[in-house]
Amino acid sequence: MINLTINNIPLSVEEGTTVLDAARQLNLRIPTLCYHEDLCIAGNCRVCVVEQVGMRNLLASCATPVRENMQILTNSMKVRQARKNIIELLLSEHNSDCTKCYKNGNCELQTMANEYRTGNHIYTDLIPLKHNKVDVSSPSIMKDDSKCIRCQRCVRTCAELQGVNALAVAHKGHEMKISSFYDKPMHEVVCTNCGQCINRCPTGALVERNYIEEVWNAIYDPTKHVAVQTAPAVRVALGEELGFEVGERVTGKMVAALRRLGFNSVLDTDFTADLTIMEEGTELLTRLKKALVDKDQSVTLPMTTSCSPGWIKFIEHTYPNLLPNVSTCKSPQQMFGALVKTYYAQKKNINPKDIVSVSIMPCTAKKFEAQRPEMRDSGYQDVDYVLTTRELAIMIKQAGIEFLKLEDEKFDRFMGDSTGAAVIFGATGGVMEAALRTAYELVTGREVPFENLNITPVRGMEGVREASVTIANVLPEWSFLEGVELKCAIAHGLANAHKLMAAVESGDANYHFIEVMACPGGCLGGGGQPIPTSPEIRNKRAKAIYAEDEGLPMRKSHENPEVTQIYEEFLGHPLGHKSHELLHTHYRARKRY
Amino acid sequence: METKQLSRVDLIFKPEGKEIELLKKKLNEDGDDFILELIDSGLKGRGGAGFLTGLKWKLAREAKADQKYVICNADEGEPGTFKDREILERVPRKVFTGMALCGHIVGATKGYIYLRAEYKYLAPKLKKCMADLNDEFKKIGLEFTLDIRYGSGAYVCGEETALIESMEGKRGEPRNKPPFPVTEGYLNKPTVVNNVETFVNTMIISEIGFKEYKKLGTDHSRGMKLFSISGDAVKEGIFELELGMSLADFVEEFGDGDTKAVQVGGASGFCVPRKKFKETIIGFEGIPTGGSMKIFNSSRSMYNVLHNYLDFFQEESCGQCTPCRVGCQQLLLGIEAVKRRERPSSYLDELMKLADTMKISAKCGLGQSVGNAFVSIIENFREEIVY
């Protein structure tokens, strides 16, 4: 243990603790900007400087480990003067057009400026002197360099968590900026649209492309039938934006709010998550049969999931040779989009051209996905607008809905029913667990051999996880699977996916089925989720997801009666002709640059 | 305070020849003894920061690792410094054997010279010299090989951790310290980074002995130093002088008789006005320098001098930390605004506070030293900035 004093209060902390963390143990908050729990230490914004008695220079508390007998002052005159200057410097290169900013009210720099009452702007405004650009090329992400304070959280996110490196530091000195490869527009680079940079940007430099006005216009248009679907991870995070504690489930209130906003049909992506399991599970079993029984060399294993559009764009850029490994299933959002303008339109007797299909997603990559040219199998753009959890919260606030006081309501029928298996799609390992629950039972006629259906080995926050299930006493038609040990792997965060796929590519990995979600923690940590994010927040959301699963009467996708119904009425059977037409897709190889 | 008369020394450029012999001798001696001698000699780093060389080597020797490195910082980028180029042209063997000696003492088997991009023309000759020495080291039973790496023209890469980042193929940006390179340097292994001239000095100490060496210079500034003299000087060029002389003596010798100020230590150093020449000692007890001595006579505008330095810094800041990246721009725009009467002269006081903040809060030596030139010029030549 190391003994030191902070503001004359003695304490002892473990060796290796930073001054910043030591101060937190005393409930002392030192302001930070470039620091983020998920990322390596940069020590470059310098707002967290503190004084060590006896030293001329101040220390960046985030980057300085404690030493024996240190005497730290976090709020001395010297510290305050320097910190105020530094905040003023940041403000001088920041476009302080706060009232016009999308992040107004949710900006760390604004909060800090407010705290330090830096009203007099002593320094020269640098904004008019710079040639800052606003990049609106991407359907998912907007990048406004005039708001950037060069903390490099986005750069570290893109490199460390995602292994994508779409954002990097360019130039030096007064020209230093965060840029893309050759300063190309965001839609032309390797960006996966995952939005993790947005989740960690302290200002409004990186925000989602928002489609709030477009959705309002659709709602106000009397000729349109606006159908909305909501992803599983939204219901465990939306509350954070609207006054609830982290980890509070607000499914019923969310449904009620969507009705009050004026959506004509309030439906659930969870329905197509269940459908995904039917399709993807069948696809896996088919691939296994072809490989194990027919010895078909053209079959590619391991098969990977395809729900995460950030992951899809990543593999298209980074491992195009492994695209045959990816399941041909569309993501639940896109399956839903294709069905809402076909099956649902027929059932409800609405002309599909009058349907505006909106989805609420924890994700920014889904905005890109919805606009892919492949996603028009209904004859129209299958999903018209994608809103993030944050955008939905903005709409609820704009409509003056007192969210806290809403009575719980239920989703509409037809494509509103779902199971616990669908809910857990929102957490890393969830698709795997849902698939195993169904596939195992399909093959053996028995439930998965885990207590209360909870396949705990696939759960957790470890970056790459492995699990295996031995299939025994199978039903006669699946005899080829008797005794097979089904090997699975799970990765979340693209840097982890990178590692896993490198092992697959080199032949070091011997799996049958791989689940990848682009974002840390899975969709619950998605780029469209409430800000801030941290390991603790993601853990709480995961807990909520698994609680939602446990609380539902049906917990296996194949038990969803609406799923049975849609196969009877419309699709025929999994991987059937109609499914292929509407629920499956193909991918394209993309270049790295 | 102890001062020395200005006196010329001739140790650094003495003809080469004895290096391998000296090195061989050291191989058979106790490394700890040499470290004590090195510490006792009082030799401080010749790049400008002035860290005790013996202590640096001691820390690296004590660090436990399977691999250690020695790096020679030949990124000589401080405006007005050109002495390392001369050393590398004339006595490269002294530099390289100094590195090998360091390798032997600290337990490093690999040495790199990080050569300033503009000095690439020296590379063929240096490579030949290194190849010869690599063979000679092998012959005397020393496991140490030399190699070369090139800078890409960024001033900040003279800062040792930025230099290391650059060598690792990354953006040349300073790291957080601690950890220091002696424990986690190149490829996160213990690394000694010393200036070209420092390595030569260690060879001189091993030749003449620390006692003889200590006779040169003052208590706080032992030995001699190469000075790169430029500006309004009657004698320009490189001069090897004993440390500890007064600036008055220096100006007497090198100035053109009309000297108004001397910038000691380059853009990151201090500007000393005539009235302070007598009391200013050139050395670590007074104003240290990596070698750059720029003499200004009365025809020079100190506004232009400062403007030039700030323009340099706003370009050469790596840009990662706020005080340096934005601070440099604000200082430059600030003096321009005062000059143009867009701001009152009292704005200079605001900028002085900013310079102080930069000194104590910037991440590395670059940002911390921008305030040196700024404060010393504003304090002494305020009217030239305003009018």
Side-chain angles (χ1 to χ4, degrees), chain B residues 355-376:
Chain B
D356 280 340
T357 291
M358 292 167 70
K359 270 187 190 179
I360 59 173
S361 67
K363 186 168 179 174
C364 80
L366 194 168
Q368 288 163 12
S369 58
V370 174
N372 296 344
F374 185 85
V375 170
S376 56

Side-chain angles (χ1 to χ4, degrees), chain A residues 179-194:
Chain A
S179 187
S180 53
F181 182 74
Y182 267 92
D183 208 17
K184 284 185 181 181
M186 291 301 283
H187 81 294
E188 287 180 26
V189 296
V190 291
C191 174
T192 63
N193 304 301
C194 74

Side-chain angles (χ1 to χ4, degrees), chain A residues 1 27 58 105 151 171 180 262 273 323 328 330 362 367 388 430 438 453 517 520 527 531:
Chain A
M1 296 300 268
N27 296 320
L58 302 176
C151 67
H171 308 294
S180 53
L323 283 172
T328 59
K330 287 182 184 173
K367 292 173 187 271
T388 58
T438 288
L453 295 174
M517 297 195 190
I531 299 168

